[in-house]
Every structure is written in C-alpha cells, then in structure tokens.
C-alpha cells in the first residue's frame, strides 16, 4: 500500500503546482487552499513521512490527531465548493447549517476524546491497527479511526445525490467527468466509516478505501478546474 500512499501524494503535489499560475493571478485561491491542505494530509498519511514528523513532535502520535483535524477542514471546504459549483442549495443547508455544525462538532469531540483515552497512541497514517503498549489502546483504535471517518462520511453522503444528478445531466462532459470522480471519492469516503470498524485482517482494504477517497476528490477538483479553463 506504500505505492498508493506515494501516488496520492504525487497527484496532490501535481495538482497544487498546476494551480500556482492561477493563484499568482489572484483566481480561485480557495481551490488552491483546499489542495494545499489536501497535500499536507497526504504528506502526513505517508508512513515514512508520518514517522519522521511524529518523531519531531515527541513520538506520541499527535500527528495522527492533527491529520484528522486537517481532513475535517479539507472535507468541509471541498463539500462547500462542490455544492456551490452544482448549485445544490439543499446540500449546502445540510453541511453549513445546524446539522452540519453538529456533525463536525461531535466528530471533533469524538476523535479528540478517543485519542486521549488511548494515551496518545493513535494509529499511524490513519490505519486502525493497535500499537505496542497498553492492550486497551488497541481496543480503542478502531473507534478512533471511525471517529475520524464520521464527518467525511457525513459530507460525502450529502454530496452523493447532487453529484449523481450532475453525472446524469446535460452539463459539459468535463463537468460530468469531474462529478463522476468526486462521486467515486465520496462513495469511498462513505464506505470508510464502516470499514474502520472492520476486523484487523481488513487493514489493506481499509487503506485502499481511504486513499481511493482522497484520489477521487482531488482528481475531480482538477477536472473541474480544467473545465473552468476551457469555458473561459
């Protein structure tokens, strides 16, 4: 799965570099910010880089908690950006309204509480596997992982209906292609929540689901950007 980790990071870095000229011109800086945060998430999700960074932070897996906070921010921004592009008013109310704020707040609380209950021994790079130490920590690891997947799953489920509508619409082909990629990412992100609670033997499948979700979202945003370039 290391190949998938590095491939996701490469895609994020490439997308970030491609967006630089528009940022210099002052256009679509929000998308660049999303890609920047997404690239940082990808950096922290690469096992070797995670170990190096976490070692600098004391080796207590605080990086794992930071990664989840960053994922929450990226998912929120992507969700708002996509529903804005698709003019999905109902989805916007769900994400930015009271329900969305409660979902974000409860997910934030759950991931923070489970992390500290594990005495700072969260699973590296988002994998729900026990680390060495107190056996009880390993029992909580799947719940920590699930807490980190809860908000992305919520946003993704909200996005799926307008994305399905966009894929089946008469919108330009690139818009439909971007919608299809984001739809795939949303579907994988939604699957990530139940997958986090799967037995440890499913670790490879969990890893594949998590990184496929990231790739779907990033590639979809890139295709949306190309569509905008062509339209302009």
């Amino acid at each position: 799965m290391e190949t998938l980790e590095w491939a996701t990071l490469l895609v994020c870095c490439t997308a970030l570099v491609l967006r630089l000229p528009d940022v210099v011109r002052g256009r679509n800086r929000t998308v660049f910010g999303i890609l920047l945060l997404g690239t940082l998430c990808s950096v922290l999700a690469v096992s070797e880089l995670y170990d190096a960074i976490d070692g600098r932070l004391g080796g207590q897996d605080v990086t794992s908690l930071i990664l989840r906070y960053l994922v929450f921010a990226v998912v929120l921004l992507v969700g708002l950006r996509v529903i804005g592009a698709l003019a999905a008013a109902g989805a916007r109310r769900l994400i930015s309204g009271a329900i969305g704020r409660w979902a974000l707040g409860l997910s934030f609380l759950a991931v923070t509480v489970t992390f500290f209950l594990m005495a700072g021994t969260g699973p590296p790079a988002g994998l729900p596997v026990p680390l060495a130490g107190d056996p009880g920590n390993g029992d909580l690891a799947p719940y920590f992982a699930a807490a980190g997947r809860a908000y992305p799953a919520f946003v993704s489920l909200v996005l799926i209906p307008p994305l399905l509508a966009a894929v089946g619409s008469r919108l330009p082909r690139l818009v439909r292609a971007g919608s299809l990629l984001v739809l795939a990412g949303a579907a994988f992100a939604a699957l990530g929540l139940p997958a986090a609670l799967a037995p440890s033997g499913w670790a490879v499948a969990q890893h594949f689901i998590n990184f496929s979700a990231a790739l779907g979202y990033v590639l979809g945003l890139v295709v949306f950007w190309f569509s905008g370039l062509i339209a302009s």
Side-chain angles (χ1 to χ4, degrees):
M1 286 292 107
E2 288 184 5
T3 301
L4 191 54
E5 294 175 358
W6 285 104
T8 303
L9 177 58
L10 178 61
V11 169
C12 289
C13 289
T14 302
L16 192 66
V17 171
L18 288 174
R19 293 289 298 118
L20 277 174
D22 271 2
V23 173
V24 172
R25 298 186 189 103
R27 297 187 300 187
N28 292 325
R29 288 178 176 172
T30 301
V31 175
F32 181 81
I34 292 171
L35 291 173
L36 181 61
L37 288 174
T39 302
L40 183 55
C41 289
S42 297
V43 168
L44 298 181
V46 174
S47 301
E48 293 88 345
L49 301 179
Y50 174 97
D51 291 337
I53 294 169
D54 194 66
R56 292 286 186 179
L57 296 177
Q60 295 299 311
D61 288 302
V62 175
T63 308
S64 187
L65 184 62
I66 294 172
L67 173 58
R68 279 150 180 83
Y69 292 159
L70 289 173
V71 168
F72 288 172
V74 171
V75 168
L76 173 60
L77 293 172
V78 169
L80 292 175
R81 185 72 182 184
V82 170
I83 59 180
L86 299 178
R92 174 175 287 277
R93 284 193 297 271
L94 284 173
I95 293 176
S96 61
I99 294 175
R101 291 194 294 271
W102 272 102
L104 178 57
L106 289 174
S107 298
F108 184 93
L109 180 63
V111 80
T112 304
V113 169
T114 51
F115 176 82
F116 285 105
L117 285 176
M118 292 191 303
T121 53
L127 281 179
V129 295
L131 298 185
D134 185 352
N137 293 338
D139 294 336
L140 285 174
Y143 299 102
F144 175 70
R149 308 282 185 271
Y151 185 68
F154 164 76
V155 173
S156 297
L157 288 171
V158 171
L159 290 178
I160 285 175
L163 286 168
L164 280 171
V167 171
S169 70
R170 296 181 178 274
L171 290 169
R173 289 183 181 179
L174 278 179
V175 174
R176 283 181 283 157
S179 298
L180 184 60
L181 286 168
V182 176
L183 177 62
F188 278 116
L191 284 174
L193 178 55
L197 298 171
S200 58
W202 287 69
V204 174
Q206 292 165 337
H207 211 47
F208 175 80
I209 289 171
N210 296 335
F211 282 93
S212 295
L215 282 171
Y217 272 117
V218 171
L219 290 174
L221 285 176
V222 171
V223 173
F224 280 142
W225 171 61
F226 275 121
S227 175
L229 283 181
I230 293 174
S232 61

